[in-house]
mmCIF file of all heavy atoms in Angstrom:
data_model
loop_
_atom_site.group_PDB
_atom_site.id
_atom_site.type_symbol
_atom_site.label_atom_id
_atom_site.label_comp_id
_atom_site.label_asym_id
_atom_site.label_seq_id
_atom_site.Cartn_x
_atom_site.Cartn_y
_atom_site.Cartn_z
ATOM 1 N N GLY B 80 27.829 83.811 91.149
ATOM 2 C CA GLY B 80 27.306 82.839 90.189
ATOM 3 C C GLY B 80 28.424 81.992 89.625
ATOM 4 O O GLY B 80 28.332 80.759 89.528
ATOM 5 N N PHE B 81 29.528 82.654 89.258
ATOM 6 C CA PHE B 81 30.676 81.911 88.746
ATOM 7 C C PHE B 81 31.197 80.932 89.794
ATOM 8 O O PHE B 81 31.480 79.781 89.485
ATOM 9 C CB PHE B 81 31.807 82.869 88.349
ATOM 10 C CG PHE B 81 31.510 83.639 87.097
ATOM 11 C CD1 PHE B 81 31.212 84.986 87.151
ATOM 12 C CD2 PHE B 81 31.538 83.012 85.863
ATOM 13 C CE1 PHE B 81 30.927 85.698 85.998
ATOM 14 C CE2 PHE B 81 31.265 83.718 84.703
ATOM 15 C CZ PHE B 81 30.955 85.073 84.770
ATOM 16 N N HIS B 143 24.313 84.184 96.086
ATOM 17 C CA HIS B 143 24.100 84.659 94.716
ATOM 18 C C HIS B 143 22.655 85.138 94.555
ATOM 19 O O HIS B 143 22.395 86.201 93.985
ATOM 20 C CB HIS B 143 24.431 83.521 93.754
ATOM 21 C CG HIS B 143 24.042 83.743 92.324
ATOM 22 N ND1 HIS B 143 24.551 84.757 91.557
ATOM 23 C CD2 HIS B 143 23.196 83.052 91.519
ATOM 24 C CE1 HIS B 143 24.028 84.678 90.333
ATOM 25 N NE2 HIS B 143 23.197 83.657 90.288
ATOM 26 N N ARG B 146 22.343 88.457 96.155
ATOM 27 C CA ARG B 146 22.932 89.505 95.311
ATOM 28 C C ARG B 146 21.943 89.881 94.205
ATOM 29 O O ARG B 146 21.690 91.070 93.977
ATOM 30 C CB ARG B 146 24.233 88.956 94.748
ATOM 31 C CG ARG B 146 25.083 89.728 93.761
ATOM 32 C CD ARG B 146 24.501 90.302 92.545
ATOM 33 N NE ARG B 146 24.611 89.419 91.389
ATOM 34 C CZ ARG B 146 24.190 89.729 90.182
ATOM 35 N NH1 ARG B 146 23.628 90.885 89.944
ATOM 36 N NH2 ARG B 146 24.306 88.859 89.209
ATOM 37 N N VAL B 147 21.370 88.878 93.564
ATOM 38 C CA VAL B 147 20.432 89.162 92.476
ATOM 39 C C VAL B 147 19.233 89.936 93.016
ATOM 40 O O VAL B 147 18.750 90.873 92.398
ATOM 41 C CB VAL B 147 19.986 87.855 91.788
ATOM 42 C CG1 VAL B 147 18.853 88.117 90.818
ATOM 43 C CG2 VAL B 147 21.166 87.218 91.067
ATOM 44 N N SER B 152 18.071 92.538 90.044
ATOM 45 C CA SER B 152 18.386 92.010 88.715
ATOM 46 C C SER B 152 17.372 90.992 88.207
ATOM 47 O O SER B 152 17.530 90.453 87.136
ATOM 48 C CB SER B 152 19.777 91.376 88.715
ATOM 49 O OG SER B 152 20.733 92.321 89.096
ATOM 50 N N ARG B 157 14.337 89.921 83.104
ATOM 51 C CA ARG B 157 15.037 88.756 83.646
ATOM 52 C C ARG B 157 14.171 87.922 84.586
ATOM 53 O O ARG B 157 14.688 87.079 85.309
ATOM 54 C CB ARG B 157 16.297 89.213 84.384
ATOM 55 C CG ARG B 157 17.261 89.947 83.479
ATOM 56 C CD ARG B 157 18.576 90.266 84.134
ATOM 57 N NE ARG B 157 19.459 90.884 83.159
ATOM 58 C CZ ARG B 157 19.402 92.155 82.799
ATOM 59 N NH1 ARG B 157 18.522 92.955 83.339
ATOM 60 N NH2 ARG B 157 20.226 92.618 81.885
ATOM 61 N N TRP B 161 15.213 84.282 87.041
ATOM 62 C CA TRP B 161 15.110 84.151 88.503
ATOM 63 C C TRP B 161 14.401 82.848 88.847
ATOM 64 O O TRP B 161 14.820 82.110 89.738
ATOM 65 C CB TRP B 161 14.361 85.362 89.067
ATOM 66 C CG TRP B 161 13.934 85.216 90.488
ATOM 67 C CD1 TRP B 161 12.772 84.645 90.939
ATOM 68 C CD2 TRP B 161 14.646 85.632 91.668
ATOM 69 N NE1 TRP B 161 12.712 84.690 92.313
ATOM 70 C CE2 TRP B 161 13.854 85.289 92.784
ATOM 71 C CE3 TRP B 161 15.872 86.263 91.876
ATOM 72 C CZ2 TRP B 161 14.250 85.548 94.091
ATOM 73 C CZ3 TRP B 161 16.258 86.528 93.185
ATOM 74 C CH2 TRP B 161 15.460 86.177 94.270
ATOM 75 N N GLY B 164 16.584 80.128 88.435
ATOM 76 C CA GLY B 164 17.501 80.166 89.571
ATOM 77 C C GLY B 164 16.926 79.489 90.802
ATOM 78 O O GLY B 164 17.612 78.720 91.474
ATOM 79 N N VAL B 165 15.650 79.731 91.086
ATOM 80 C CA VAL B 165 15.036 79.096 92.254
ATOM 81 C C VAL B 165 15.054 77.572 92.077
ATOM 82 O O VAL B 165 15.342 76.827 93.015
ATOM 83 C CB VAL B 165 13.598 79.618 92.477
ATOM 84 C CG1 VAL B 165 12.936 78.873 93.616
ATOM 85 C CG2 VAL B 165 13.630 81.105 92.772
ATOM 86 N N HIS B 245 20.170 78.570 82.282
ATOM 87 C CA HIS B 245 20.402 79.780 83.089
ATOM 88 C C HIS B 245 21.410 80.698 82.398
ATOM 89 O O HIS B 245 21.183 81.894 82.242
ATOM 90 C CB HIS B 245 20.929 79.332 84.450
ATOM 91 C CG HIS B 245 20.943 80.383 85.520
ATOM 92 N ND1 HIS B 245 19.810 81.053 85.926
ATOM 93 C CD2 HIS B 245 21.959 80.875 86.284
ATOM 94 C CE1 HIS B 245 20.128 81.906 86.889
ATOM 95 N NE2 HIS B 245 21.431 81.820 87.120
ATOM 96 N N PHE B 246 22.518 80.138 81.950
ATOM 97 C CA PHE B 246 23.556 80.940 81.291
ATOM 98 C C PHE B 246 23.051 81.513 79.970
ATOM 99 O O PHE B 246 23.297 82.663 79.628
ATOM 100 C CB PHE B 246 24.808 80.091 81.031
ATOM 101 C CG PHE B 246 25.566 79.742 82.281
ATOM 102 C CD1 PHE B 246 26.721 78.968 82.210
ATOM 103 C CD2 PHE B 246 25.136 80.183 83.518
ATOM 104 C CE1 PHE B 246 27.418 78.640 83.364
ATOM 105 C CE2 PHE B 246 25.834 79.855 84.676
ATOM 106 C CZ PHE B 246 26.971 79.084 84.582
ATOM 107 N N LEU B 255 24.327 90.805 81.595
ATOM 108 C CA LEU B 255 24.057 91.095 82.997
ATOM 109 C C LEU B 255 23.363 92.442 83.137
ATOM 110 O O LEU B 255 23.422 93.284 82.255
ATOM 111 C CB LEU B 255 25.372 91.118 83.783
ATOM 112 C CG LEU B 255 26.003 89.761 84.042
ATOM 113 C CD1 LEU B 255 27.160 89.926 84.994
ATOM 114 C CD2 LEU B 255 24.984 88.812 84.609
ATOM 115 N N SER B 256 22.722 92.592 84.275
ATOM 116 C CA SER B 256 22.105 93.883 84.566
ATOM 117 C C SER B 256 23.207 94.906 84.829
ATOM 118 O O SER B 256 24.348 94.548 85.112
ATOM 119 C CB SER B 256 21.224 93.746 85.794
ATOM 120 O OG SER B 256 22.008 93.293 86.870
HETATM 121 C C1 LIG C 24 23.450 76.198 90.581
HETATM 122 C C2 LIG C 24 23.167 77.405 90.921
HETATM 123 C C3 LIG C 24 23.473 78.685 90.115
HETATM 124 C C4 LIG C 24 24.525 78.943 89.249
HETATM 125 C C5 LIG C 24 25.678 78.021 88.890
HETATM 126 C C6 LIG C 24 24.312 80.300 88.759
HETATM 127 C C7 LIG C 24 25.183 80.969 87.892
HETATM 128 C C8 LIG C 24 25.030 82.279 87.453
HETATM 129 C C9 LIG C 24 26.040 83.044 86.776
HETATM 130 C C10 LIG C 24 27.451 82.552 86.419
HETATM 131 C C11 LIG C 24 25.519 84.291 86.516
HETATM 132 C C12 LIG C 24 26.275 85.455 85.892
HETATM 133 C C13 LIG C 24 26.576 86.597 86.865
HETATM 134 C C14 LIG C 24 26.974 86.330 88.274
HETATM 135 O O1 LIG C 24 28.037 85.712 88.510
HETATM 136 O O2 LIG C 24 26.230 86.750 89.172
HETATM 137 C C15 LIG C 24 24.151 84.290 86.994
HETATM 138 C C16 LIG C 24 23.255 85.347 86.886
HETATM 139 C C17 LIG C 24 21.933 85.329 87.372
HETATM 140 N N1 LIG C 24 21.399 84.400 88.249
HETATM 141 FE FE1 LIG C 24 22.265 82.650 88.760
HETATM 142 N N2 LIG C 24 23.152 80.828 89.295
HETATM 143 C C18 LIG C 24 22.615 79.874 90.140
HETATM 144 C C19 LIG C 24 21.477 80.019 90.913
HETATM 145 C C20 LIG C 24 20.632 81.131 90.886
HETATM 146 C C21 LIG C 24 19.560 81.395 91.836
HETATM 147 C C22 LIG C 24 19.233 80.536 93.051
HETATM 148 C C23 LIG C 24 18.934 82.558 91.415
HETATM 149 C C24 LIG C 24 17.739 83.279 92.004
HETATM 150 C C25 LIG C 24 16.741 82.711 92.592
HETATM 151 C C26 LIG C 24 19.620 83.015 90.208
HETATM 152 C C27 LIG C 24 19.262 84.129 89.438
HETATM 153 C C28 LIG C 24 20.091 84.766 88.539
HETATM 154 C C29 LIG C 24 19.730 85.944 87.764
HETATM 155 C C30 LIG C 24 18.348 86.657 87.742
HETATM 156 C C31 LIG C 24 20.886 86.300 87.033
HETATM 157 C C32 LIG C 24 21.065 87.537 86.135
HETATM 158 C C33 LIG C 24 21.645 88.590 87.044
HETATM 159 C C34 LIG C 24 22.005 89.869 86.365
HETATM 160 O O3 LIG C 24 21.663 90.067 85.198
HETATM 161 O O4 LIG C 24 22.653 90.702 87.050
HETATM 162 N N3 LIG C 24 20.662 82.145 89.935
HETATM 163 N N4 LIG C 24 23.883 83.053 87.583
#
Side-chain angles (χ1 to χ4, degrees):
Chain B
F81 288 108
H143 170 62
R146 176 309 267 182
V147 171
S152 302
R157 300 187 176 80
W161 168 273
V165 175
H245 193 58
F246 289 180
L255 286 189
S256 58

